[in-house]
């Protein structure tokens, strides 16, 4: 019964071909049929075409590449979870790295979904399934193309950021971050909508859906390759600038570049010497060399995939327009009664070789692994170990804080306590500090000396000053004591007393007038010194 049905569907076409008129014109991706006129008949190759143009290990090779995508997905998941959970000092996360990893996750999902769902690639014997007839095809194709678009945009933005920092000394900040988010996700979303509307996806190359030939160059491949080309140009322009600065630094003998490298006003783009510019560029490259390598790897993978798939697409379309190219291969299949192994040598001119296909798929699948190797850090592993240790009750990190910061321990104010950072429990370690003198050994309310003896003064080499101890003076603050030295009474003013005195000379006051100014000898008068307040007063 089955053989009779198959023979009826052939409709006069020799095996293994089927008559196109025996199948409906709707359902699946009808434009994906590969048919050729044979006399008055239009005979089509059975679906899927890869089963006839490639050896039997084609499915095993593509399946192995899909499993590599699973490994890459695990690597990306580890990075994303680490960036979310662990502190920034452990992960050094950045929005350019996070966004690029998310784009790689989308691309990996395009290969993982068919691996899990195992969809039927064909709608009938000659028609492949499309996004209208297979939800798995729509999902896998959308994730693959969106991931490719987003990956190209984020490596472009990363290369542009590095170029602005190195070549133009532009500090990329919050404005560039928002610009990157709009451009990095806006263009892929708009591009995905356009290509799904005007081209669509279908099973054309293995178990993963790819973009159809209709309008694919205008709405996907050309814009994708334009941004990829801009990324390559920007990246190599940055490399060229670095080489130019390095060569200029070799011939720079300026004495000002041999300093300590402290920041100054003269270190601007106009006055920066070649050697200073080289040191600045070297620091930037040392910090971002991982991002540079990631840009080169992903851009090479995407360009390689685009070139191979466009070549395969054009080859298949050329068979439709010029069936004579596939005539020797079709004649071989008819003569061998459907034994494809006898005709694989003739099919090599019509398709891309299996090693090339496998290499493209594996390179795309390894993007997640490259991200982990280049963007991951060993501090992430130690961060997870510390996190799990904290859950288990082991606290390996402790810090010194002042005992004044705690309100539950007031026993000994002359000590510090070592507290755990992540718990407020009372498991503290008190470390007493022996003071030089006990606060209770001196009378009165005084501040205890917690810090011991005074540090020795170390004068600067070019300093000619030295510390001087403060002069100690005794102040008698006892209350109720009368003044020891009362002010002398002021004499009564007499007219014409100083009438004949010279205002510019030394004038002696008579002895009897000295009595009015007499008083006890001052305690500040040195022994043996003349006391002018007693013998004479000079005005």
């Amino acid at each position: 019964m089955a053989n009779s049905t198959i023979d009826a569907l052939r409709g006069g076409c020799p095996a293994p071909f089927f008559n196109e008129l025996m199948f409906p014109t709707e359902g699946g991706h009808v434009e994906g049929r590969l048919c050729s006129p044979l006399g008055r008949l239009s005979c089509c190759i059975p679906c899927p075409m890869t089963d006839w143009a490639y050896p039997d290990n084609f499915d095993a090779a593509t399946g192995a590449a899909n499993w590599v995508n699973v490994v890459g997905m695990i690597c990306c998941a580890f990075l994303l979870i680490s960036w979310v959970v662990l502190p920034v000092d452990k992960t050094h996360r950045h929005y350019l790295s996070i966004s690029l990893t998310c784009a790689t996750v989308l691309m990996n999902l395009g290969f993982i979904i068919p691996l899990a769902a195992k969809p039927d690639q064909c709608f009938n014997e000659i028609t492949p399934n499309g996004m209208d007839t297979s939800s798995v095809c729509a999902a896998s194709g959308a994730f693959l193309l969106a991931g490719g678009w987003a990956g190209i945009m984020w490596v472009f933005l990363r290369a542009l950021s590095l170029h602005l920092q190195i070549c133009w000394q532009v500090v990329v900040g919050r404005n560039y971050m928002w610009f990157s988010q709009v451009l990095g996700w806006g263009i892929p979303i708009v591009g995905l909508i356009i290509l799904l509307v005007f081209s669509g996806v279908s099973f054309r190359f293995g178990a993963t859906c790819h973009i159809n030939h209709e309008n694919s160059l205008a709405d996907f491949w050309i814009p994708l390759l334009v941004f990829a080309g801009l990324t390559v140009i920007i990246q190599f322009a940055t490399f060229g600038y670095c080489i130019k600065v390095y060569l200029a630094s070799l011939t720079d003998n300026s004495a000002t570049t041999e300093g300590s490298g402290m920041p100054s006003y003269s270190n601007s783009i106009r006055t920066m010497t070649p050697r200073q510019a080289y040191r600045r560029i070297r620091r930037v490259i040392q910090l971002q060399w991982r991002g540079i390598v990631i840009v080169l790897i992903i851009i090479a993978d995407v360009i390689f995939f685009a070139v191979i798939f466009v070549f395969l697409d054009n080859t298949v379309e050329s068979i439709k327009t010029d069936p004579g190219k596939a005539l020797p291969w079709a004649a071989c299949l008819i003569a061998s009664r459907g034994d494809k192994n006898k005709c694989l040598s003739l099919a090599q001119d019509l398709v891309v070789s299996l090693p090339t296909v496998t290499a493209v798929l594996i390179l795309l699948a390894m993007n997640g692994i490259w991200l982990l190797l280049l963007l991951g850090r060993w501090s992430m592993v130690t961060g997870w170990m510390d996190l799990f240790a904290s859950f288990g009750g082991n606290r390996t990190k402790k810090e010194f804080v002042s005992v004044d910061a705690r309100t539950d321990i007031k026993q000994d104010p002359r000590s510090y306590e070592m507290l755990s950072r992540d718990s407020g429990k009372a498991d503290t370690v008190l470390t007493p500090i022996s003071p030089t003198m006990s606060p209770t050994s001196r009378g009165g309310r005084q501040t205890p000396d917690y810090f011991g003896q005074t540090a020795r003064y170390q004068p600067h080499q070019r300093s000619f000053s030295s510390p001087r101890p403060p002069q100690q003076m005794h102040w008698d603050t006892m209350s109720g004591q009368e003044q020891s030295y009362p002010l002398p009474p002021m004499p009564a003013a007499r007219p014409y007393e100083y009438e004949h005195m010279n205002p510019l000379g030394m004038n002696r006051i008579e002895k009897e007038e000295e009595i009015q100014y007499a008083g006890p000898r001052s305690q500040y008068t040195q022994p043996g010194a003349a006391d002018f307040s007693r013998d004479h007063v000079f005005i």
Side-chain angles (χ1 to χ4, degrees):
M1 182 66 181
N3 292 332
S4 61
T5 303
I6 293 177
D7 292 338
L9 292 177
R10 299 192 188 279
C13 291
F17 298 100
F18 291 94
N19 191 344
E20 185 179 11
L21 298 178
M22 303 302 297
F23 298 91
T25 58
E26 296 181 355
H29 182 56
V30 179
E31 291 79 6
R33 298 173 179 175
L34 185 59
C35 303
S36 177
L38 184 62
R40 296 182 178 181
L41 302 176
S42 178
C43 299
C44 304
I45 191 171
C47 176
M49 184 198 69
T50 54
D51 288 351
W52 299 91
Y54 287 98
D56 295 332
N57 60 345
F58 176 82
D59 292 335
T62 56
N66 291 342
W67 281 108
V68 177
N69 279 279
V70 175
V71 178
M73 185 70 174
I74 296 174
C75 296
C76 293
F78 173 77
L79 286 176
L80 292 175
I81 296 175
S82 299
W83 284 329
V84 171
V85 176
L86 299 180
V88 66
D89 60 332
K90 295 290 186 181
T91 60
H92 301 275
R93 59 178 177 262
H94 194 271
Y95 66 92
L96 291 175
S97 302
I98 297 175
S99 301
L100 182 58
T101 305
C102 293
T104 306
V105 167
L106 295 178
M107 190 182 302
N108 290 334
L109 287 175
F111 295 97
I112 294 176
I113 290 177
L115 183 64
K118 301 185 180 303
D120 189 1
Q121 300 182 27
C122 300
F123 181 77
N124 52 38
E125 282 75 4
I126 63 172
T127 309
N129 267 317
M131 62 180 186
D132 297 331
T133 56
S134 174
S135 59
V136 176
C137 176
S140 64
F143 279 120
L144 177 62
L145 299 178
W149 251 124
I152 285 292
M153 291 306 304
W154 282 107
V155 296
F156 166 75
L157 293 170
R158 197 178 189 101
L160 180 61
S161 172
L162 185 67
H163 180 77
L164 292 176
Q165 294 179 62
I166 291 180
C167 300
W168 302 99
Q169 289 81 39
V170 176
V171 179
V172 290
R174 185 173 296 273
N175 292 333
Y176 187 83
M177 183 192 70
W178 292 116
F179 168 77
S180 301
Q181 296 296 332
V182 173
L183 200 67
W185 297 114
I187 290 183
I189 292 174
V190 174
L192 179 64
I193 294 174
I194 292 175
L195 68 89
L196 290 179
V197 171
F198 293 98
S199 295
V201 294
S202 63
F203 288 104
R204 307 186 59 200
F205 193 70
T208 301
C209 278
H210 298 274
I211 187 171
N212 297 323
H213 175 75
E214 293 80 14
N215 305 315
S216 60
L217 289 177
D219 57 28
F220 183 69
W221 295 115
I222 291 180
L224 190 74
L225 293 176
V226 165
F227 279 100
L230 289 176
T231 304
V232 173
I233 293 173
I234 292 174
Q235 197 71 42
F236 280 97
T238 306
F239 288 160
Y241 178 79
C242 295
I243 295 173
K244 173 180 175 295
V245 171
Y246 173 71
L247 295 178
S249 67
L250 296 179
T251 59
D252 180 32
N253 297 322
S254 176
T256 59
T257 61
E258 301 296 335
S260 61
M262 295 299 291
S264 63
Y265 179 76
S266 61
N267 287 339
S268 63
I269 184 175
R270 296 183 183 274
T271 61
M272 187 177 296
T273 63
R275 191 167 299 178
Q276 289 173 333
Y278 169 69
R279 286 202 299 265
R280 180 184 57 80
I281 292 173
R282 185 178 61 183
R283 287 194 297 268
V284 174
I285 294 179
Q286 286 175 351
L287 293 174
Q288 301 196 15
W289 68 270
R290 297 177 179 87
I292 296 174
V293 176
I294 282 294
V295 168
L296 295 177
I297 290 176
I298 293 182
I299 204 70
D301 291 347
V302 173
I303 292 177
F304 188 31
F305 175 77
V307 171
I308 295 301
F309 192 83
V310 169
F311 175 77
L312 177 63
D313 189 32
N314 292 333
T315 302
V316 174
E317 291 300 320
S318 65
I319 295 175
K320 294 182 179 180
T321 57
D322 187 8
K325 293 182 178 181
L327 187 59
W329 175 59
C332 179
L333 289 177
I334 294 173
S336 63
R337 295 183 179 274
D339 188 358
K340 69 174 185 179
N341 295 321
K342 297 180 180 181
C343 305
L344 290 178
S345 59
L346 298 174
Q348 292 179 356
D349 298 333
L350 305 179
V351 295
V352 180
S353 63
L354 181 60
T356 304
V357 172
T358 307
V360 170
L361 296 179
I362 291 179
L363 286 177
L364 286 177
M366 289 186 64
N367 287 334
I369 301 176
W370 289 121
L371 287 176
L372 178 62
L373 294 178
L374 295 173
L375 299 182
R377 298 173 182 268
W378 181 251
S379 58
M380 292 183 178
V381 178
T382 59
W384 282 108
M385 294 172 61
D386 294 342
L387 183 62
F388 292 147
S390 65
F391 290 156
N394 298 328
R395 294 166 177 81
T396 59
K397 277 197 171 184
K398 294 180 181 295
E399 61 178 350
F400 283 97
V401 298
S402 173
V403 74
D404 297 334
R406 299 280 293 175
T407 58
D408 54 347
I409 300 179
K410 297 293 185 179
Q411 304 291 337
D412 189 1
R414 296 171 294 162
S415 62
Y416 291 89
E417 57 181 347
M418 187 165 63
L419 303 177
S420 175
R421 174 180 296 181
D422 46 1
S423 68
K425 298 180 181 179
D427 49 346
T428 61
V429 181
L430 297 179
T431 306
I433 298 180
S434 301
T436 302
M437 183 179 296
S438 175
T440 59
S441 61
R442 293 181 294 182
R445 184 176 181 179
Q446 299 178 6
T447 302
D449 185 8
Y450 288 119
F451 304 99
Q453 299 179 357
T454 306
R456 184 177 181 181
Y457 176 75
Q458 298 292 339
H460 193 269
Q461 293 180 358
R462 301 185 60 85
S463 176
F464 303 99
S465 63
S466 60
R468 296 182 177 87
Q471 297 181 358
Q472 297 183 358
M473 299 181 65
H474 176 71
W475 298 93
D476 191 0
T477 58
M478 297 180 62
S479 61
Q481 183 177 0
E482 298 180 356
Q483 295 183 355
S484 301
Y485 307 99
L487 294 175
M490 295 298 294
R494 291 181 293 180
Y496 311 107
E497 183 178 2
Y498 306 104
E499 182 178 359
H500 301 289
M501 290 185 178
N502 185 5
L504 301 178
M506 300 295 290
N507 302 283
R508 180 181 179 184
I509 302 177
E510 296 298 332
K511 190 67 176 180
E512 57 270 5
E513 295 178 354
E514 296 177 10
I515 304 174
Q516 300 178 5
Y517 300 94
R521 187 178 180 89
S522 175
Q523 63 174 344
Y524 300 104
T525 304
Q526 298 295 330
D531 190 358
F532 296 101
S533 63
R534 282 186 168 273
D535 298 335
H536 300 87
V537 176
F538 292 91
I539 299 179

